[in-house]
Amino acid sequence: QLQASGGGLVQTGGSLRLSCEASGRTGLNYGMAWFRQAPGREREFVVIRSSRGSTSHANSVKGRFTISRDNAGNTLYLQMNSLKSEDTAVYYCAAARGDGIYYRPGSYDYWGRGTQVTVSS
């Protein structure tokens, strides 16, 4: 029900925009988030946009990454600017029922297949 796309190879300091298409039950009543997972590391929270429109960012991406969604709630975006090598990871979109801000992967009900982002120096 979630399909992420837009990953690729970019140089340090560059930008990418990821998209996540939602279908089925996901929509405006769900909080939508991005997580990422680098090789050998646990999946980590990146940013969430709650069903109420509130956002929360991981400290590592504040000021560089922006989350948004279209009015219908069917597409989630992640604009990533000033990319660093440490942003290299597989990025996943996720959806959670409820109107809160959720940081743990276990709080999410639906996951998309990841999209690889590689930042080279």
Side-chain angles (χ1 to χ4, degrees), residues 10-73:
V10 63
Q11 290 188 330
T12 300
S15 299
L16 277 176
R17 189 174 84 155
L18 306 183
S19 299
C20 176
E21 297 285 340
S23 61
R25 296 180 179 180
T26 51
L28 291 173
N29 293 327
Y30 284 73
M32 300 286 291
W34 291 95
F35 283 75
R36 65 187 181 186
Q37 188 166 17
R41 302 188 65 175
E42 293 185 352
R43 191 167 298 189
E44 67 172 359
F45 168 83
V46 176
V47 60
I48 182 176
R49 189 183 189 280
S50 76
S51 62
R52 295 189 175 188
S54 300
T55 61
S56 180
H57 297 70
N59 288 335
S60 59
V61 305
K62 281 181 180 177
R64 300 188 299 122
F65 289 13
T66 302
I67 190 171
S68 62
R69 65 194 298 180
D70 66 353
N71 290 335

Side-chain angles (χ1 to χ4, degrees), residues 40 76 84:
L76 182 73
K84 305 175 182 179

